[in-house]
């Protein structure tokens, strides 16, 4: 197990990068603490796999350092970093049995037959592979092969970390939840530093204690699933996390708050003071569909919106509203009756976020 620290790390595939847009990984500092279960979440092309390959040693960074437990490992090849990496597509030796696939890393280390037998049996039990140990790997299903690939990473007891690069992409949807649960159990049992790369927020939330959200080659927020949902630090986090994502609307400063399309949104004096500092190119408000309040009757501070569309998804409803020329999504319980025509809503202050140039405006308590 190891603490993995990234210091001033950046990477460009261009031989002569001329600006930030030429970098797959923009300069960052980050720490994966020893024994943690982490997810690296973001859309395709944001730099997730590049970052993972730099940590494992498959790729050398253009700038900065990678440290394991305080030791710089930039010049160490992958085999000397004691990193296990599980790729999107299962990597197994088809002509070998499952037992021999799992035993291969141990035999390379010169472990005794007794040690190999004991460790392979232990890992096979954790991954529910005991009945397959004598079967040739070529005869396995995709999910079984992926479990063997995971097992090869787990079988060594000297690994610093296990890196998973979208390991469930090729797995049938109904089997994914089983493997996600199995990975969580493995982490709890072996207490190994694990970093799980995915573009699926459900996979990230069910596996990781903390999630690093990547966007444009940067980690824009690092926190628990609850922190990412309740208080997104960046507009991309608000948009990417949640179903539907956060409602985001451009606004202009007004006396007592901000406004858009003739709609006034009051803000606390502290937020007004932050906005008044100026220098922002873009101001936005953000509120999650779950946090918009729908009222049965109007009142003085109610916002009068127009119902546009209602989707009934079985366990909940998604209501689309028009307010001040902007579209808002609202997530409601299945049994909530929604009026036709005008819908009275409000934005609870505790759930209303203000963003300046895509970053959350923080105020002192």
């Amino acid at each position: 197990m190891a603490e993995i620290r990234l210091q001033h790390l950046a990477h460009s595939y261009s031989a002569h990068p001329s600006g930030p847009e030429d970098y797959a990984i923009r300069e960052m500092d980050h720490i994966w603490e020893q024994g943690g279960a982490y997810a690296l979440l973001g859309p395709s092309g944001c730099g997730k796999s590049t970052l993972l390959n730099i940590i494992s040693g498959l790729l050398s960074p253009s700038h900065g350092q990678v440290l394991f437990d305080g030791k710089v490992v930039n010049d160490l090849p992958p085999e000397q970093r004691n990193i296990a990496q599980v790729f999107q597509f299962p990597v197994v030796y088809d002509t070998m049995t499952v037992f021999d696939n799992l035993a291969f890393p141990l035999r390379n280390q010169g472990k005794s037959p007794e040690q190999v037998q004991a460790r392979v049996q232990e890992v096979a039990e954790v991954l529910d592979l005991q009945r397959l140990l004598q079967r040739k790997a070529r005869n396995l299903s995709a999910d079984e092969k992926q479990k063997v690939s995971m097992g090869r990473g787990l079988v060594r007891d000297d690994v610093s970390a296990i890196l998973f690069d979208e390991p469930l992409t090729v797995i049938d949807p109904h089997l994914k939840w089983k493997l996600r649960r199995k990975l969580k159990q493995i982490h709890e049992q072996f207490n190994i530093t694990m970093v799980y790369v995915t573009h699926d927020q459900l996979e990230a939330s069910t596996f990781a204690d903390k999630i690093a959200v990547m966007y444009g080659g940067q980690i824009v927020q690092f926190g628990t699933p609850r922190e990412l949902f309740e208080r997104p630090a960046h507009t991309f986090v608000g948009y990417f996390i949640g179903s539907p994502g956060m409602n985001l609307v451009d606004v202009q400063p007004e006396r007592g708050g901000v406004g858009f399309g003739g709609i006034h949104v009051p803000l606390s004096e502290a937020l007004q003071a932050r906005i008044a500092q100026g220098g922002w190119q873009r101001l936005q408000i953000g509120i999650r569909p779950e946090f918009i309040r729908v009222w049965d009757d109007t009142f003085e501070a109610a916002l009068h919106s127009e119902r546009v569309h209602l989707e009934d998804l079985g366990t909940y409803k998604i209501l689309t509203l028009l307010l001040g020329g902007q579209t808002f999504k609202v997530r409601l319980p299945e049994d909530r009756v929604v009026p036709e025509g005008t819908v009275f809503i409000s934005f609870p202050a505790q759930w209303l976020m203000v963003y300046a140039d895509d970053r959350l405006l923080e105020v002192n308590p």
Side-chain angles (χ1 to χ4, degrees):
M1 296 175 290
E3 175 200 82
I4 302 173
R5 184 184 296 265
L6 312 177
Q7 287 186 343
H8 309 300
L9 192 76
H11 184 72
S12 175
Y13 290 102
S14 171
H16 304 286
S18 58
E21 66 278 0
D22 293 330
Y23 280 83
I25 301 293
R26 302 189 186 189
E27 186 171 326
M28 68 168 67
D29 294 280
H30 191 72
I31 298 175
W32 311 102
E33 294 180 357
Q34 179 176 310
Y38 302 105
L40 194 56
L41 175 67
S44 298
C46 72
K48 304 186 303 294
S49 293
T50 296
L51 186 57
L52 212 65
N53 290 337
I54 288 173
I55 294 171
S56 67
L58 295 175
L59 190 63
S60 296
S62 304
H63 308 285
Q65 296 178 322
V66 179
L67 297 91
F68 289 0
D69 288 335
K71 178 184 177 183
V72 178
V73 297
N74 286 43
D75 296 330
L76 291 182
E79 62 270 19
Q80 293 182 26
R81 296 192 186 192
N82 289 330
I83 288 287
Q85 190 160 354
V86 179
F87 297 93
Q88 177 176 341
F89 298 99
V91 179
V92 297
Y93 301 112
D94 280 343
T95 58
M96 290 185 181
T97 64
V98 171
F99 183 95
D100 288 335
N101 265 276
L102 296 176
F104 189 79
L106 299 175
R107 289 169 175 161
N108 280 349
Q109 291 182 311
K111 300 290 186 182
S112 69
E114 293 77 17
Q115 290 174 311
V116 171
Q117 179 73 27
R119 186 62 176 171
V120 168
Q121 290 292 342
E122 180 183 6
V123 170
E125 184 176 351
V126 169
L127 289 169
D128 296 328
L129 291 172
Q130 304 99 311
R131 62 184 179 82
L132 302 175
L133 285 175
Q134 301 310 315
R135 185 180 298 183
K136 294 285 187 181
R138 71 163 69 93
N139 298 321
L140 302 179
S141 64
D143 64 296
E144 290 168 342
K145 286 184 177 181
Q146 192 61 295
K147 286 201 289 185
V148 173
S149 184
M150 292 176 187
R152 285 227 310 274
L154 290 168
V155 76
R156 291 168 47 199
D157 56 10
D158 65 337
V159 292
S160 298
I162 302 181
L163 311 179
F164 298 94
D165 194 353
E166 306 209 38
L168 302 185
T169 300
V170 299
I171 306 302
D172 289 339
H174 71 283
L175 294 174
K176 283 187 177 183
W177 71 271
K178 290 184 179 180
L179 283 181
R180 283 200 303 267
R181 183 181 177 189
K182 183 61 65 178
L183 281 175
K184 192 69 174 176
Q185 290 173 345
I186 288 168
H187 177 261
E188 292 170 354
Q189 180 172 344
F190 292 99
N191 195 33
I192 300 172
T193 306
M194 291 185 176
V195 182
Y196 186 106
V197 166
T198 181
H199 62 271
D200 187 321
Q201 59 176 291
L202 179 61
E203 285 187 14
S205 298
T206 53
F207 169 76
D209 300 320
K210 281 192 172 184
I211 300 171
V213 181
M214 285 198 73
Y215 174 65
Q218 296 177 303
I219 294 177
V220 291
Q221 188 171 359
F222 182 56
T224 65
R226 181 172 181 175
E227 288 168 346
L228 299 180
F229 184 80
E230 293 187 353
R231 200 164 182 80
H234 191 280
T235 54
F236 177 77
V237 179
Y239 160 80
F240 196 70
I241 302 289
S243 181
M246 175 177 270
N247 297 291
L248 292 161
V249 175
D250 287 359
V251 295
Q252 298 296 323
E254 293 180 351
R255 183 180 180 86
V258 293
F260 65 95
I263 302 297
H264 178 74
V265 180
L267 298 176
S268 68
E269 291 185 2
L271 271 173
Q272 291 177 54
R274 288 283 284 122
I275 291 173
Q277 292 176 3
W280 320 117
Q281 295 183 10
R282 187 184 192 187
L283 280 176
Q284 295 168 282
I285 58 169
I287 187 167
R288 290 211 175 273
E290 291 83 354
F291 297 149
I292 293 178
R293 183 78 182 270
V294 176
W295 300 86
D296 293 328
D297 299 299
T298 189
F299 59 97
E300 184 179 354
L303 299 172
H304 293 211
S305 65
E306 178 185 348
R307 172 172 162 169
V308 177
H309 185 61
L310 182 66
E311 300 170 77
D312 191 335
L313 300 178
T315 56
Y316 61 91
K317 298 174 181 176
I318 299 297
L319 176 63
T320 303
L321 301 174
L322 190 64
L323 178 68
Q326 300 292 328
T327 298
F328 286 81
K329 297 286 187 182
V330 184
R331 182 163 168 161
L332 298 171
E334 167 61 19
D335 58 356
R336 181 67 161 86
V337 177
V338 183
E340 300 284 347
T342 300
V343 180
F344 309 115
I345 63 172
S346 64
F347 302 149
Q350 71 182 106
W351 301 121
L352 183 70
M353 308 292 143
V354 179
Y355 295 92
D357 299 337
D358 292 320
R359 295 285 180 178
L360 179 66
L361 275 186
E362 300 279 7
V363 295
N364 296 324

